[in-house]
Short mmCIF file of all heavy atoms in Angstrom, two decimals:
data_model
loop_
_atom_site.label_atom_id
_atom_site.label_comp_id
_atom_site.label_asym_id
_atom_site.label_seq_id
_atom_site.Cartn_x
_atom_site.Cartn_y
_atom_site.Cartn_z
N ALA E 2 65.41 114.84 -55.53
CA ALA E 2 66.55 114.51 -56.48
C ALA E 2 67.65 113.82 -55.74
O ALA E 2 67.85 113.96 -54.53
CB ALA E 2 67.06 115.84 -57.10
N ILE E 34 38.20 108.61 -48.03
CA ILE E 34 37.85 108.09 -46.67
C ILE E 34 36.64 108.88 -46.15
O ILE E 34 35.71 108.34 -45.58
CB ILE E 34 39.04 108.16 -45.72
CG1 ILE E 34 40.10 107.13 -46.17
CG2 ILE E 34 38.65 107.94 -44.30
CD1 ILE E 34 41.38 107.21 -45.40
N ALA E 36 34.48 110.54 -47.88
CA ALA E 36 33.31 110.35 -48.73
C ALA E 36 32.68 109.05 -48.37
O ALA E 36 31.37 108.92 -48.37
CB ALA E 36 33.68 110.40 -50.16
N GLY E 39 31.69 109.34 -44.32
CA GLY E 39 30.85 110.49 -43.96
C GLY E 39 29.40 110.22 -44.08
O GLY E 39 28.87 109.40 -44.83
N GLU E 40 28.67 111.03 -43.35
CA GLU E 40 27.18 110.96 -43.36
C GLU E 40 26.58 111.73 -44.49
O GLU E 40 25.48 111.40 -45.00
CB GLU E 40 26.63 111.38 -42.03
CG GLU E 40 27.03 110.50 -40.85
CD GLU E 40 26.50 111.11 -39.52
OE1 GLU E 40 25.71 112.05 -39.51
OE2 GLU E 40 26.95 110.56 -38.51
N LEU E 43 27.65 113.29 -51.12
CA LEU E 43 28.22 114.26 -52.03
C LEU E 43 27.65 114.16 -53.41
O LEU E 43 27.25 113.07 -53.81
CB LEU E 43 29.78 114.05 -52.10
CG LEU E 43 30.55 114.32 -50.82
CD1 LEU E 43 31.96 113.88 -50.97
CD2 LEU E 43 30.43 115.73 -50.34
N ASP E 47 31.13 117.11 -57.16
CA ASP E 47 32.15 117.22 -56.12
C ASP E 47 33.21 116.19 -56.25
O ASP E 47 34.44 116.50 -56.17
CB ASP E 47 31.46 117.04 -54.72
CG ASP E 47 30.49 118.21 -54.40
OD1 ASP E 47 30.63 119.26 -54.94
OD2 ASP E 47 29.56 117.91 -53.65
N TYR E 48 32.81 114.95 -56.52
CA TYR E 48 33.85 113.90 -56.79
C TYR E 48 34.68 114.26 -58.08
O TYR E 48 35.90 114.10 -57.95
CB TYR E 48 33.09 112.56 -57.08
CG TYR E 48 32.51 111.94 -55.88
CD1 TYR E 48 31.10 111.93 -55.67
CD2 TYR E 48 33.26 111.33 -54.91
CE1 TYR E 48 30.53 111.34 -54.56
CE2 TYR E 48 32.67 110.74 -53.78
CZ TYR E 48 31.28 110.73 -53.64
OH TYR E 48 30.75 110.17 -52.55
N ASN E 52 38.66 115.06 -57.43
CA ASN E 52 39.52 114.04 -57.96
C ASN E 52 40.25 114.53 -59.19
O ASN E 52 41.44 114.20 -59.42
CB ASN E 52 38.68 112.77 -58.36
CG ASN E 52 38.24 112.02 -57.17
OD1 ASN E 52 38.93 111.88 -56.16
ND2 ASN E 52 37.03 111.56 -57.19
N VAL E 58 47.27 117.45 -60.65
CA VAL E 58 48.49 117.83 -59.90
C VAL E 58 49.53 116.68 -59.93
O VAL E 58 50.71 116.87 -60.12
CB VAL E 58 48.18 118.25 -58.46
CG1 VAL E 58 49.47 118.36 -57.63
CG2 VAL E 58 47.46 119.57 -58.50
N ILE E 61 50.96 116.10 -63.79
CA ILE E 61 51.75 117.13 -64.41
C ILE E 61 53.17 117.19 -63.95
O ILE E 61 54.01 117.92 -64.51
CB ILE E 61 51.17 118.51 -64.43
CG1 ILE E 61 51.05 119.05 -63.00
CG2 ILE E 61 49.82 118.57 -65.14
CD1 ILE E 61 50.63 120.49 -62.91
N VAL E 69 75.33 111.54 -67.63
CA VAL E 69 76.57 112.20 -68.12
C VAL E 69 77.67 111.19 -68.23
O VAL E 69 77.95 110.51 -67.25
CB VAL E 69 76.98 113.42 -67.25
CG1 VAL E 69 78.14 114.17 -67.87
CG2 VAL E 69 75.79 114.41 -66.98
N LYS E 71 81.64 110.76 -69.36
CA LYS E 71 82.83 111.40 -69.80
C LYS E 71 83.50 110.60 -70.96
O LYS E 71 84.30 111.14 -71.77
CB LYS E 71 83.80 111.59 -68.65
CG LYS E 71 83.38 112.62 -67.72
CD LYS E 71 84.40 112.89 -66.62
CE LYS E 71 83.96 114.00 -65.70
NZ LYS E 71 84.95 114.20 -64.58
N ALA E 76 76.13 113.98 -72.86
CA ALA E 76 75.11 113.91 -71.79
C ALA E 76 73.72 113.80 -72.44
O ALA E 76 73.53 114.28 -73.53
CB ALA E 76 75.14 115.15 -70.87
N HIS E 81 60.17 112.68 -68.62
CA HIS E 81 58.95 111.97 -68.75
C HIS E 81 57.81 112.89 -68.20
O HIS E 81 57.86 113.29 -67.08
CB HIS E 81 58.91 110.67 -67.88
CG HIS E 81 59.95 109.73 -68.28
ND1 HIS E 81 59.70 108.66 -69.07
CD2 HIS E 81 61.30 109.68 -68.08
CE1 HIS E 81 60.84 107.97 -69.31
NE2 HIS E 81 61.82 108.61 -68.66
N LEU E 93 79.45 117.36 -73.79
CA LEU E 93 79.97 117.95 -72.51
C LEU E 93 80.61 119.28 -72.73
O LEU E 93 80.62 120.15 -71.85
CB LEU E 93 80.92 116.96 -71.89
CG LEU E 93 80.29 115.68 -71.30
CD1 LEU E 93 81.39 114.86 -70.59
CD2 LEU E 93 79.25 115.99 -70.27
N GLY E 107 55.25 132.29 -60.35
CA GLY E 107 55.69 132.14 -61.75
C GLY E 107 56.13 130.68 -62.01
O GLY E 107 55.53 129.69 -61.56
N TYR E 109 59.10 129.16 -61.14
CA TYR E 109 59.96 128.50 -60.16
C TYR E 109 59.51 128.69 -58.79
O TYR E 109 59.09 129.81 -58.41
CB TYR E 109 61.38 129.08 -60.33
CG TYR E 109 61.81 129.13 -61.76
CD1 TYR E 109 62.04 130.38 -62.40
CD2 TYR E 109 62.16 127.95 -62.44
CE1 TYR E 109 62.43 130.41 -63.77
CE2 TYR E 109 62.54 128.05 -63.77
CZ TYR E 109 62.71 129.25 -64.36
OH TYR E 109 63.06 129.34 -65.66
N GLY E 112 62.13 126.79 -53.39
CA GLY E 112 63.15 125.84 -53.07
C GLY E 112 64.34 125.87 -54.00
O GLY E 112 65.42 125.45 -53.66
N LEU E 117 71.17 123.19 -66.08
CA LEU E 117 72.43 123.20 -66.89
C LEU E 117 72.36 124.32 -67.94
O LEU E 117 71.31 124.42 -68.61
CB LEU E 117 72.63 121.91 -67.57
CG LEU E 117 73.04 120.66 -66.81
CD1 LEU E 117 73.13 119.47 -67.75
CD2 LEU E 117 74.41 120.83 -66.17
N LYS E 122 71.08 128.02 -73.86
CA LYS E 122 69.83 127.56 -73.30
C LYS E 122 69.96 127.04 -71.88
O LYS E 122 71.00 126.56 -71.59
CB LYS E 122 69.17 126.44 -74.21
CG LYS E 122 68.85 126.88 -75.60
CD LYS E 122 68.31 125.75 -76.39
CE LYS E 122 67.96 126.13 -77.80
NZ LYS E 122 67.44 124.97 -78.62
N ASP E 128 63.76 119.94 -60.66
CA ASP E 128 62.65 120.92 -60.34
C ASP E 128 62.64 121.21 -58.80
O ASP E 128 63.06 120.30 -58.04
CB ASP E 128 61.33 120.38 -60.78
CG ASP E 128 61.19 120.43 -62.26
OD1 ASP E 128 61.71 121.31 -62.91
OD2 ASP E 128 60.50 119.55 -62.80
N ILE E 131 58.58 121.00 -52.53
CA ILE E 131 58.20 121.67 -51.22
C ILE E 131 58.60 120.87 -50.06
O ILE E 131 58.23 121.19 -48.94
CB ILE E 131 56.64 121.89 -51.22
CG1 ILE E 131 55.90 120.59 -51.33
CG2 ILE E 131 56.21 122.86 -52.25
CD1 ILE E 131 54.37 120.75 -51.13
N ASN E 139 69.22 120.67 -53.00
CA ASN E 139 69.45 121.08 -54.41
C ASN E 139 70.80 121.84 -54.53
O ASN E 139 71.48 121.67 -55.56
CB ASN E 139 68.33 121.92 -54.91
CG ASN E 139 67.11 121.10 -55.25
OD1 ASN E 139 67.19 119.87 -55.20
ND2 ASN E 139 65.94 121.77 -55.58
N ARG E 143 73.70 120.58 -56.91
CA ARG E 143 74.31 121.47 -57.90
C ARG E 143 75.79 121.49 -57.73
O ARG E 143 76.56 121.40 -58.75
CB ARG E 143 73.71 122.91 -57.72
CG ARG E 143 74.36 123.86 -58.67
CD ARG E 143 74.25 125.29 -58.24
NE ARG E 143 74.89 125.45 -56.95
CZ ARG E 143 74.81 126.50 -56.15
NH1 ARG E 143 73.99 127.49 -56.48
NH2 ARG E 143 75.44 126.60 -55.06
N ASP E 148 81.16 120.08 -59.54
CA ASP E 148 82.50 119.55 -59.24
C ASP E 148 82.87 118.30 -60.09
O ASP E 148 83.99 118.21 -60.55
CB ASP E 148 82.59 119.11 -57.74
CG ASP E 148 82.58 120.34 -56.80
OD1 ASP E 148 82.84 121.41 -57.28
OD2 ASP E 148 82.33 120.10 -55.61
#
Side-chain angles (χ1 to χ4, degrees):
I34 290 172
E40 296 175 9
L43 296 174
D47 296 332
Y48 289 105
N52 289 320
V58 168
I61 64 172
V69 184
K71 287 185 178 178
H81 301 259
L93 287 184
Y109 312 108
L117 283 179
K122 297 180 182 178
D128 287 329
I131 58 175
N139 285 353
R143 176 204 59 193
D148 289 343

